Amino acid sequence: MTQGIYRIEYNRRLTADVWEMRLTGDTGAVTAPGQFINIKLEGLFLRRPISICDWDGEGITIIYKVVGRGTAALSGAEPGQDLDVLCGLGNGFDVSKCGERTVVIGGGVGVPPMYGLAKALQKAGKTPIAVLGFNKKEEIFYEDQFRALGIETTVTTVDGSYGVKGFVTDALRSSYDYFCACGPLPMLKAVYNATATSGLLSFEERMGCGFGACMGCSCKTKYGNKRICKDGPVLEKEEIIW
Amino acid sequence: MVDTSVALSGIRLDNPVIPASGTFGYGAEFAELYDINCLGTFSFKGTTLSPRFGNPTPRIAETPGGMLNAVGLQNPGVEKVIAEELPRLREIFRKPVMANVSGFSIDEYVQTCALLDKEEQVGWLEVNISCPNVHGGGMAFGSSPEAAAEVTRAVKAATKKPVYMKLSPNVTDIAAVARACQDAGADGVSLINTLLAMRIDLKTKRPLLANGTGGLSGPAVFPVAVRMVYQVYEAVDIPIIGMGGVSSAEDVIEMMLAGAAAVEVGAANLVSPFVCRDIIRDLPEAMKKYGINSLTEIIGGAHHG
Ligand SMILES: Cc1cc2nc3c(=O)[nH]c(=O)nc-3n(C[C@H](O)[C@H](O)[C@H](O)COP(=O)(O)OP(=O)(O)OC[C@H]3O[C@@H](n4cnc5c(N)ncnc54)[C@H](O)[C@@H]3O)c2cc1C
Ligand SMILES: Cc1cc2nc3c(=O)[nH]c(=O)nc-3n(C[C@H](O)[C@H](O)[C@H](O)COP(=O)(O)O)c2cc1C
Ligand code: FES
């Protein structure tokens, strides 16, 4: 983990309440897709954890949904502004565990980390496929970015206004040998139950620190107690206790 | 050259800055970030006789100028702390450490302290009789002078290490509890633990924390902590470790003027992981600015004249 100042390169709206932000700064602490950053915002005591969507030598892309004061403040931030960020938090997805044909499953703002993961899987010579779940057509983002990677991509909408009608689990038809998932808890549970293969799932929890110091984010697993922020957010299917 | 050193029960600290229990684990996460040997010492995570998972999540909520926590004393238990954490700690920290202890009965406090008494690296015992996040114990012992004195006496009989009783702010007269601890043989007192508090989620219309209530800490509680340290200083002659909302070198100085012999920093570590290193770096400059040559000389300075 590192603490650093990151400059906002752009901050643009993707849908009514989802934004994409590019931050330039040191990315040396990023070791795996699915890690997150923790952002300090003026006037708010706790930092806000947001997944790394994509990264390179110069900076990080994040995608966030406006749900409260912190994310609202973030959406008002201007290019050129600096943010105090803890970078490279959490374990992320272990690409070496993934199969040749891993399905990456994202739901809502669980989609962003799956983008960096899909790229990392390709880099490792694997052929991932993607299933992206949204509520309705207007809420879809990043479909084109996934397709631009040349990945077989299926989009689901709960109301059927676009793609496959239903949940991500309704689109898990194509054969796969491993899965990685990030999204709301009910989605993770459904994926856990619907998948026959082994896999990795990324969880959320309210955080005090984000780097393992406060025990604010603990959960029980079959492998023992874990901190979502440090030993997670990614857990193995086999260790999860619901 | 200004002198930042202080002493707690005969053990010299290079500076008065001590990361507070529960916000610094057993040191490992911070040792990855900076050389923690720069600290005066640190108080490790509240340790109990048996392992504890703690409370269900959510355990954390934000507040104006601070946070609530209801961790509920998650720790691996004293035996594992001695077998696994202390050997690891020796690799990263050369100084005596402050062992923070909690319990659910007097007997548990005694057993845990007796085990830690044998550990060479433990410099002081900080006995938490003020945790607001556990039921049947914790804060109950810190809520009356009689119960606080009983724990103090029992623990003192079980250890040769200096014993600092960690007091709860959730009482009408904290000075009376401090005095009872002193009369029962405490070597010092440390205060304040968190203030009992609650937030309610407007969306679910239920308390935000799974535990319902939690403990408030962070800058929001700083003036309350300064007031309590000031009051306790008038009531006792033993050293006071002051804490509650400290996040800068100026805050350290203010806490010491109120009467603290050393100062713990809690919640600030969670949002600014380098804050203790930075406070230690900033202290000499802040001392010069306020015409202070020696920190030891300013302890309780606000009471004179
Ligand atoms: C590891 C991790 C990765 C995440 N990645 C993303 C992402 O890529 N994109 C995205 O849009 N969101 C993501 N989230 C959720 C995001 O952290 C919250 O939406 C955000 O903190 C809300 O802050 P707020 O001030 O707008 O909301 P408020 O409700 O005002 O926040 C109040 C407090 O609750 C916390 N909080 C609220 N909702 C959540 C939540 N769902 N999870 C954890 N803490 C919460 C806040 O951090 C803050 O401390 C992630 C969460 C975690 C734990
Ligand atoms: C996440 C968290 C966990 C804590 N755990 C403990 C603990 O195990 N034992 C203890 O004596 N105090 C514990 N405390 C209280 C702190 O040590 C300190 O007394 C209090 O937070 C006030 O200081 P602050 O405002 O600087 O945080 C905890 C505080 C926080 C925020
Ligand atoms: S948020 Fe502090 S340990 Fe995970």
Side-chain angles (χ1 to χ4, degrees):
Chain A
M1 177 187 95
T2 50
Q3 180 176 11
I5 300 299
Y6 292 71
R7 179 147 296 178
I8 301 172
E9 194 177 315
Y10 60 77
N11 189 18
R12 60 185 176 218
R13 203 188 275 269
L14 296 178
T15 72
D17 53 8
V18 173
W19 294 68
E20 179 191 55
M21 178 183 278
R22 165 89 180 169
L23 294 166
T24 44
D26 181 13
T27 58
V30 185
T31 56
Q35 288 187 305
F36 64 98
I37 63 174
N38 218 354
I39 307 172
K40 179 80 190 144
L41 293 161
E42 188 68 33
L44 298 176
F45 187 70
L46 295 176
R47 291 172 181 266
R48 298 304 192 262
I50 302 288
S51 300
I52 295 170
C53 168
D54 194 13
W55 81 98
D56 56 31
E58 272 82 55
I60 290 167
T61 308
I62 57 171
I63 294 175
Y64 60 94
K65 182 175 176 176
V66 175
V67 297
R69 281 180 65 191
T71 45
L74 206 53
S75 71
E78 300 280 346
Q81 211 174 304
D82 287 340
L83 291 177
D84 173 346
V85 167
L86 303 182
C87 185
L89 302 175
N91 58 353
F93 291 98
D94 183 347
V95 171
S96 72
K97 283 205 178 100
C98 298
E100 289 309 311
R101 201 170 154 78
T102 295
V103 57
V104 302
I105 308 163
V109 282
V111 166
M114 307 326 275
Y115 180 72
L117 172 61
K119 282 178 76 171
L121 286 167
Q122 285 188 318
K123 211 171 158 192
K126 305 183 183 190
T127 315
I129 51 181
V131 176
L132 314 176
F134 299 93
N135 287 313
K136 51 179 192 271
K137 187 171 183 226
E138 295 72 45
E139 294 180 7
I140 296 170
F141 61 87
Y142 257 54
E143 181 192 1
D144 294 345
Q145 283 84 341
F146 275 87
R147 290 199 192 285
L149 297 177
I151 291 178
E152 181 189 323
T153 303
T154 309
V155 172
T156 66
T157 52
V158 179
D159 69 354
S161 51
Y162 186 89
V164 175
K165 180 175 165 42
F167 299 100
V168 289
T169 44
D170 294 314
L172 286 179
R173 293 193 199 96
S174 182
S175 71
Y176 58 90
D177 57 9
Y178 201 83
F179 75 90
C180 294
C182 184
L185 203 57
M187 183 201 103
L188 294 180
K189 231 176 206 173
V191 167
Y192 177 93
N193 288 319
T195 44
T197 68
S198 188
L200 298 170
L201 299 95
S202 182
F203 288 83
E204 278 186 0
E205 191 46 84
R206 301 255 170 175
M207 291 181 176
C209 63
F211 55 91
C214 73
M215 298 292 155
C217 64
S218 297
C219 71
K220 289 181 179 161
T221 79
K222 289 176 190 160
Y223 304 164
N225 298 336
K226 289 202 167 178
R227 297 159 295 183
I228 292 292
C229 71
K230 176 104 175 173
D231 313 309
V234 177
L235 301 180
E236 289 176 31
K237 184 184 183 184
E238 287 71 24
E239 69 182 301
I240 292 164
I241 303 171
W242 293 103
Chain B
M1 267 296 278
V2 294
D3 181 5
T4 60
S5 71
V6 296
L8 286 177
S9 304
I11 306 175
R12 183 181 180 277
L13 279 66
D14 294 333
N15 60 69
V17 179
I18 308 172
S21 178
T23 64
F24 215 73
Y26 296 90
E29 289 75 21
F30 291 85
E32 286 175 24
L33 304 178
Y34 63 90
D35 182 0
I36 62 172
N37 287 296
C38 69
L39 301 168
T41 176
F42 77 93
S43 179
F44 65 51
K45 176 63 194 170
T47 297
T48 52
L49 189 59
S50 308
R52 284 180 56 82
F53 175 69
N55 290 323
T57 55
R59 296 174 173 182
I60 303 287
E62 189 170 61
T63 74
M67 63 181 283
L68 303 187
N69 91 83
V71 169
L73 295 174
Q74 179 175 357
N75 78 94
V78 68
E79 279 171 19
K80 227 174 173 167
V81 167
I82 289 171
E84 291 172 18
E85 297 295 346
L86 290 185
R88 237 182 310 217
L89 180 60
R90 273 194 286 279
E91 304 290 314
I92 53 176
F93 194 56
R94 290 188 300 270
K95 298 178 174 180
V97 73
M98 190 171 291
N100 185 284
V101 172
S102 254
F104 296 84
S105 67
I106 297 218
D107 195 46
E108 268 188 57
Y109 278 109
V110 167
Q111 286 188 53
T112 309
C113 289
L115 288 170
L116 288 165
D117 181 64
K118 299 192 191 82
E119 294 305 310
E120 202 186 333
Q121 193 165 12
V122 172
W124 313 259
L125 292 168
E126 182 177 50
V127 180
N128 177 7
I129 49 168
S130 46
C131 182
N133 298 324
V134 294
H135 303 281
M139 200 168 84
F141 292 106
S143 296
S144 82
E146 295 76 25
E150 210 184 330
V151 181
T152 308
R153 261 191 302 275
V155 166
K156 274 299 285 179
T159 179
K160 287 187 209 54
K161 312 250 189 214
V163 170
Y164 282 68
M165 301 304 288
K166 183 158 175 184
L167 307 184
S168 171
N170 305 303
V171 293
T172 27
D173 187 0
I174 194 169
V177 182
R179 210 178 302 115
C181 291
Q182 171 177 276
D183 294 346
D187 298 278
V189 287
S190 79
L191 61 137
I192 57 177
N193 207 315
T194 54
L195 286 139
L196 195 58
M198 180 184 275
R199 298 284 329 251
I200 292 167
D201 186 340
L202 298 188
K203 287 178 198 141
T204 63
K205 304 187 173 55
R206 306 284 308 147
L208 244 162
L209 299 174
N211 188 53
T213 58
L216 173 65
S217 66
V221 310
F222 181 66
V224 177
V226 170
R227 182 266 293 178
M228 289 190 158
V229 167
Y230 188 94
Q231 287 178 326
V232 168
Y233 185 83
E234 306 252 294
V236 300
D237 304 313
I238 50 180
I240 301 165
I241 304 174
M243 79 195 82
V246 172
S247 34
S248 67
E250 279 78 7
D251 293 346
V252 169
I253 292 172
E254 187 169 339
M255 199 57 103
M256 294 186 77
L257 288 169
V263 175
E264 289 187 29
V265 179
N269 290 300
L270 306 181
V271 292
S272 306
F274 294 94
V275 70
C276 284
R277 184 201 65 181
D278 293 348
I279 290 174
I280 291 162
R281 182 198 58 202
D282 296 346
L283 260 175
E285 196 61 37
M287 288 168 69
K288 273 185 221 145
K289 182 171 170 196
Y290 295 101
I292 299 162
N293 294 317
S294 149
L295 280 183
T296 301
E297 284 169 12
I298 69 161
I299 298 168
H303 298 259
H304 310 311

